[in-house]
Each structure stands twice: as structure tokens, then as C-alpha cells.
Amino acid sequence: MRINLLGPLQAHGDDHRVDLAPAAQKVRQTLALLALNAGRVVRFEQLMDELWDDDPPASAHTALQTYVYQLRKRFSLGNPRSGGAVRAASPLLGTVDGGYQLSLPAAHVDVFRCEPLLSRARAEFRDEDFARARDTVTAALQLWRDDALVDVRKGPMLQAEAVRLNELRTSAHHLRIEADLQLGRHHEVLGELTSMAGREPTNEWAQRNLMTALYRMDRRAEALGVYRRARERIATELGLDPSPELQALHMAVLSSDDELLRPAGRLTAVTATTRTPCHLPAPRERLTGRDGQLGLITAALAGRARADRPLVIVGGAPGTGKSELCLHAAHQVSGHYPDGRLYARLRDGMGRRVRHAEILRSFLRGLGAREEQLRMAATDLSLLFRTWTADLRVLVVLDDVCAVQDLTPLLPSGPGCGVVIGSRRRLFVSSSAVHVELAGLPFEDCLHVLASSVPSHRTTMDPEGLRRLAGLCRGLPGALFAVAGQLRRRPHWTARQATAWVLASAGADSDPLGVRAGFDRTLAALPAESRSLVHALLSGAPDRLTPALVAATLGIGDQRAEDLLEELAESYLLRPRHPCANGKFSYEWEPGVRPIAARHSDAPVMCSA
């Protein structure tokens, strides 16, 4: 049995072609999905979603069994569960718990023959074996007869796979042209590049390579004309200037740079970008008291013994320094991720969710995507990001995360990639993820932060005053550095004046401890009903809370009160304590939450130091 999907669907039995009529679209869909997952179990739910777009009829399960029966009959596929005689060497379509599994050698599906060839061609190109790379990628391209799955009805899974495969074909085509240019075959590719540049006037890859080919053929004026037209179209359609790479090539053509005549000079790059993106902001402060957590994170990200993608989640209450720790760790391990370090905050300053498409465009632009690719919808951008990172070693840092669904489209796919997540809520992303939860710093570390930040300040001459000032910061690194910043600006202050400033500003619109913004973003991620209940709790309830007390205070049911408390605990606003006599947990506010949040209610609350 052989299945071809890189074009119209073709299916062959042992010694003959099996025609699946276009009218039997759901049978064709079922076969395509099983073949793309050969050797893996495809769950019943996945098949039903693919065939009926999340709206299966009541007879869907019976219909699915009928389609599978037709495939078994058409291709003489045995079912191991059936108990019948099955030839050991024959392909099988087995019924397993929860789904179906097509056992078929990888060499019998054209997709699985194509992808290893492309991986080998890329490796050969990186090794500068351009002739072999061209032969290998040409062999891969010969497997294509049209767009992937072109005549198969596509539900969500097949549509996503078709987008990925067609992007792979485009990448292979580019690689073949790159190899030809490196081999000096600019005459042979000129027609292709001229046609491609005409069809896609803002595709800088095509314009760049067409200019190179024309220049090598001593057609310098035409090469300059290509740049002029590309610059005008890019400005008109995109409102942008040409990329630095295209501008640099233009200057090289103007100056008749001899380097352009050397095919082995690597004028263009296979990965579509000549510079490794590094989006990481610089850490703002030194780390204190986090050596253990920093070592745990860097060990997970830098250790290459693991076969899977390292993923680290750093969580904690507002002001505990999650973002700073993530950045310090990312910079320390950046050498292990040579293909790029990408960074994004998933919430803006008001706590609103940043759109996935906006973040993905930033990532892909850094990796070298063309502007026409960046105009795709978020789903296709996510698929493109996964495709591009499949063979790369990229570190992705995602900060201000509040929900697992925020993450899924933004995660790289390659096992050589790493992910660091700064989370405002306890998350379960993967059973292999490393979880680091931050609490407040020990008091001695708080003193060290203040003393080392302003070593010559007069507050350090008053140890007792400095201890009270540190106590007001409640172990929060964000608050400590905010106080230290104020002391740097006002070196004439005493510790008593700094303490008075913190206490006097606590109930005003100002943010003396510098952590209100983090609390606001955490609060904004809660449902509207929960936010209103939090305001009521902050204005009237004591520091220690129980479900019964909250139910009585807010006038809500006991179960709703317990759910609210658990929701706040998951968001690092409350800390659960040991169960009471009735088996229910009690809860207390995380350090600093009560004073941070006091200005949100009518009656300001300031806990003692």
C-alpha cells in the first residue's frame, strides 16, 4: 500500500491503483488523516472534528466505522483486533482504544520521503556542499505534483497540515535556487527569479536574488532597476523602507563590488535572515537571594541531555521579581540557542491581552519572514512559526502569562528550542515542565539589596531605620528596588524620611513601592465578577480568610466563596494555609497584596511593618 499526498490524492494497493471517487470525500479525508499520522493513533474525536467541523451528526460514529470498513476492504487491510488471519508483513488498519492506527512504513507515504530529503539538503547546504544540496532538494521537489492535498476536502487538521506542507515546498524551491546561485548557475535561474519577482513585487528574497543574478550577467543597470521598482512597491503597499540586506546589496551593485561576482560568498541565507534575532531586554537590577532558583532554571535550559524541549515556568505574587529572574536566566543560557532569542509580554500596561498575531509577526520578522507572509491570519502564522523552528535552536521568553490558552500558538516546535514563561497564575503546560515559584526574599537579603544599591547613602548609617524601611517592602524585590531608586534620587534623605514617604504615599494615587502595575495586571486577568468581589474583600475582610467568612461578608454561597478563594490562590494573590477543623483551607493575602491593593477600595488598608 502506497499513499501520495503531495498533489492530488493517490492510493495504491499491493499491485494496483485504487480509485477513490471524488464523491467519497469523507473516505478520502479519513485516509489522508490516517496516512499523515501513520504509525500513530488518531483518536475518534480528532476524526470526527476533521470530518464534521465540530458538529458531528448523531450517526457520526457509525458513519466513521463505515468509512474505515471501506478502506479495509479496498486495500485488504487487516485489523489486529478482529482476530482474523493477518499477514505479518501487510499494512494494518487497527482499532485501538480510543481510535484507529494505520501501520504503514514511512517510505510508503510521499510526505515522509520528502521531509528527510529536505533536512539532508539543508545540512548539505550548511556544509557548503552546494552541488549535493541541489541534487537532494531537486529529488524532494520531484515528489510534488501540485499543492498538497489539493483535491481533498480539508477540515481543521488537514488544512493546517496542507499549509505546513505547502510552506515546506516554497522553502525547498528557495533552497534549490540558493544552491544554483552558489554554483554560478545564474543564467539557469534568471527566468524563474524574473517571474517570481514580477508576481511578488514586495518579496525581498526574490528581488535580492534577481539583482544578484543580473549583476553576475553584467546587467548592472537592470539590477538597479529591480531595486528601484522594489523600493517603490514596498513603500506604496507596505509603507516601509527596504530591509537593510536589500539596501546593502543595492549599495554593493552601485559600487560594483567584486564580492558579488563570487558565488561562494553566501550573498543570501537559507534561513531567510543574515542576523540572529535577540529580542531580550537587559535586566534592570542585580539578582539577590535567587541563586538557587537561577541555577535550577539555567540547568534545565542549558542541559542538552534531554530529548524533549526544555520548558520552565516561573510564577509568584506581584512584585516577587518573576520578569527579572526570567531575563537573567535567559541571558545566561543565550549561548546555547544560536538561532535566536525571542521575547514577548502577553499583557500590555493595562493588563489587556496582546494579540497572538502581533507577537507571532514580531517573532517571524526577527527570523526573516517576508512581509507577505506576515499578512496571514494568526493560525497560519503559528503554523509557520512551528515550521521554521522545527530545526532551529531558539529560546522563547514569554512574560505576563495568565492562561495556558495564551501560550499554545506561541510555542516553538523544535526539540532544540527552549521556553521560559513568567506566569501570573499557576499553569499546567507539560508534565516535563520545570516549575519555579517565587516567594518574598528573606529579611537579610532585603537589607543587602538596599545597602548594596545605595552603599554611600546616609540611610545606611541608621541600621534600625534601614531595617524598618526594608520591612515595609515585605520581601518584594520590586518594592526594594523602587525604594532604592528613590534614595538614589534623594541622597539627602534619612531612613526615617524614606519610611515616612512610603507610609504617607500608601493610600494615594502614587505607587511608592513600584509594584501596583503588576497587581493591576494580575487583577485584570480575573473575570469581572471575581474582580468586584476582590475589591469588596480588600475593603472589609481581615487578613485571614475562610470560605465561611467570605460567604458571609460578600453574601454569596459557600461553594462560590471557596471557588473564589481558590481562584485568587491560583493567581498568587492568596496563600492557602493548613485545613481547619472542618477540613476547609484558610487563606491569607500574599505579602504586599493588601497594601498594594488598598488604593483600589474606599477605605485604604495599610498593614503594619
Side-chain angles (χ1 to χ4, degrees):
M1 180 182 184
R2 292 180 177 273
I3 306 295
N4 295 328
L5 304 168
L6 301 178
L9 175 65
Q10 292 179 347
H12 299 268
D14 290 338
D15 54 3
H16 63 286
R17 179 168 175 171
V18 178
D19 290 324
L20 295 173
Q25 279 290 355
K26 286 188 165 38
V27 177
R28 296 161 62 85
Q29 270 184 279
T30 304
L31 176 60
L33 192 58
L34 291 170
L36 283 167
N37 291 275
R40 299 192 297 267
V41 175
V42 182
R43 301 192 310 274
F44 297 137
E45 305 82 49
Q46 293 175 300
L47 284 160
M48 290 185 181
D49 288 346
E50 173 63 28
L51 296 173
W52 289 285
D53 295 329
D54 293 325
D55 188 24
S59 60
H61 194 75
T62 301
L64 179 58
Q65 290 176 324
T66 301
Y67 305 148
V68 170
Y69 169 77
Q70 291 181 28
L71 291 175
R72 285 178 176 144
K73 183 177 180 181
R74 294 278 189 94
F75 296 96
S76 302
L77 296 172
N79 179 8
R81 180 176 284 189
S82 68
V86 177
R87 291 176 293 167
S90 298
L92 304 173
L93 178 49
T95 303
V96 297
D97 290 337
Y100 296 104
Q101 179 179 0
L102 177 62
S103 299
L104 191 64
H108 288 203
V109 182
D110 58 359
V111 172
F112 301 142
R113 298 198 304 277
C114 179
E115 291 180 304
L117 286 172
L118 291 179
S119 295
R120 195 174 85 201
R122 293 190 191 101
E124 290 165 347
F125 192 99
R126 286 194 297 268
D127 293 337
E128 300 189 355
D129 191 350
F130 303 122
R132 185 168 294 173
R134 185 193 187 281
D135 291 342
T136 304
V137 74
T138 299
L141 286 168
Q142 287 173 348
L143 295 171
W144 290 81
R145 296 161 288 114
D146 201 334
D147 289 343
L149 302 164
V150 65
D151 64 343
V152 177
R153 180 186 178 277
K154 289 176 275 292
M157 296 182 69
L158 289 182
Q159 179 60 39
E161 193 64 9
V163 170
R164 184 187 75 84
L165 290 172
N166 290 327
E167 183 64 33
L168 203 64
R169 184 190 190 187
T170 300
S171 172
H173 191 199
H174 288 180
L175 179 60
R176 201 264 302 153
I177 293 177
E178 295 274 8
D180 277 332
L181 286 172
Q182 295 290 357
L183 292 168
R185 296 175 175 172
H186 34 275
H187 294 84
E188 298 176 27
V189 299
L190 181 63
E192 286 180 276
L193 286 171
T194 301
S195 175
M196 187 182 298
R199 291 195 312 269
E200 302 178 56
T202 61
N203 180 342
E204 292 197 13
W205 180 93
Q207 311 302 326
R208 195 166 59 237
N209 283 307
L210 177 57
M211 288 174 65
T212 301
L214 288 168
Y215 184 83
R216 290 180 184 172
M217 297 171 65
D218 201 24
R219 295 161 66 173
R220 180 167 170 263
E222 291 179 58
L224 293 172
V226 170
Y227 177 81
R228 184 179 61 254
R229 290 190 295 274
R231 182 188 59 197
E232 292 171 355
R233 292 297 293 269
I234 290 170
T236 302
E237 296 185 20
L238 306 178
L240 299 171
D241 292 325
S243 68
E245 291 84 359
L246 191 57
Q247 293 183 49
L249 179 59
H250 176 236
M251 293 303 299
V253 173
L254 279 173
S255 60
S256 299
D257 190 343
D258 288 343
E259 287 296 319
L260 294 182
L261 299 174
R262 301 175 186 175
R266 289 186 172 273
L267 303 173
T268 52
V270 184
T271 57
T273 182
T274 57
R275 288 179 288 188
T276 300
C278 183
H279 296 174
L280 297 177
R284 293 181 301 168
E285 303 288 353
R286 296 187 300 270
L287 278 185
T288 300
R290 301 296 193 203
D291 291 346
Q293 294 95 332
L294 181 63
L296 181 63
I297 297 171
T298 55
L301 295 172
R304 308 312 303 170
R306 296 168 46 154
D308 57 337
R309 174 190 61 197
L311 189 151
V312 178
I313 302 173
V314 181
T320 50
K322 302 180 291 295
S323 299
E324 285 293 298
L325 180 59
C326 289
L327 288 177
H328 276 275
H331 279 284
Q332 283 201 14
V333 302
S334 61
H336 294 271
Y337 297 92
D339 296 318
R341 280 78 64 193
L342 306 174
Y343 172 87
R345 294 182 64 175
L346 273 62
R347 299 271 165 168
D348 64 14
M350 300 298 292
R352 296 170 300 200
R353 184 181 285 109
V354 179
R355 293 183 301 164
H356 291 147
E358 183 178 336
I359 296 172
L360 287 165
R361 288 189 182 106
S362 173
F363 286 177
L364 288 165
R365 188 175 287 111
L367 292 172
R370 304 186 306 274
E371 286 301 322
E372 61 268 25
Q373 292 173 308
L374 300 180
R375 291 196 289 267
M376 295 189 295
T379 300
D380 290 337
L381 289 170
S382 179
L383 292 170
L384 181 60
F385 181 58
R386 292 178 203 168
T387 299
W388 280 26
T389 55
D391 300 318
L392 298 180
R393 294 179 63 181
V394 172
L395 179 65
V396 177
V397 181
L398 301 172
D399 200 8
D400 268 349
V401 177
C402 297
V404 173
Q405 54 267 34
D406 290 344
L407 291 170
T408 306
L410 307 176
L411 297 178
S413 62
C417 298
V419 181
V420 185
I421 296 168
S423 178
R424 297 189 173 277
R425 192 178 181 93
R426 287 188 176 88
L427 303 176
F428 178 79
V429 180
S430 166
S431 57
S432 62
V434 174
H435 291 263
V436 176
E437 292 202 350
L438 301 183
L441 293 175
F443 189 70
E444 292 303 316
D445 285 330
C446 295
L447 290 174
H448 177 72
V449 168
L450 287 179
S452 62
S453 298
V454 285
S456 60
H457 197 280
R458 60 190 300 189
T459 54
T460 59
M461 306 300 292
D462 180 7
E464 192 56 40
L466 192 65
R467 292 178 68 85
R468 187 175 184 214
L469 186 59
L472 287 175
C473 296
R474 298 181 171 275
L476 301 177
L480 290 163
F481 286 118
V483 170
Q486 185 77 343
L487 293 176
R488 290 192 197 103
R489 292 188 294 271
R490 301 180 181 181
H492 54 284
W493 271 15
T494 64
R496 180 173 302 193
Q497 286 172 305
T499 299
W501 166 73
V502 172
L503 293 172
S505 303
D509 290 335
S510 61
D511 184 19
L513 298 179
V515 289
R516 176 182 176 182
F519 172 80
D520 287 344
R521 286 196 291 273
T522 298
L523 203 62
L526 295 175
E529 180 191 6
S530 298
R531 287 200 301 273
S532 63
L533 294 176
V534 170
H535 289 311
L537 282 177
L538 288 167
S539 63
D543 288 343
R544 183 63 65 90
L545 304 170
T546 64
L549 177 60
V550 169
T553 302
L554 301 179
I556 58 178
D558 290 349
Q559 187 58 53
R560 177 68 185 102
E562 187 172 355
D563 291 342
L564 173 65
L565 291 170
E566 286 295 331
E567 186 173 35
L568 299 182
E570 288 180 15
S571 298
Y572 296 110
L573 297 178
L574 289 177
R575 182 181 300 174
R577 289 305 185 190
H578 294 297
C580 305
N582 61 0
K584 300 288 186 181
F585 283 91
S586 62
Y587 304 79
E588 63 182 34
W589 297 104
E590 285 282 357
V593 167
R594 206 56 192 275
I596 293 169
R599 59 186 55 84
H600 286 270
S601 45
D602 294 331
V605 179
M606 187 67 204
C607 300
S608 62

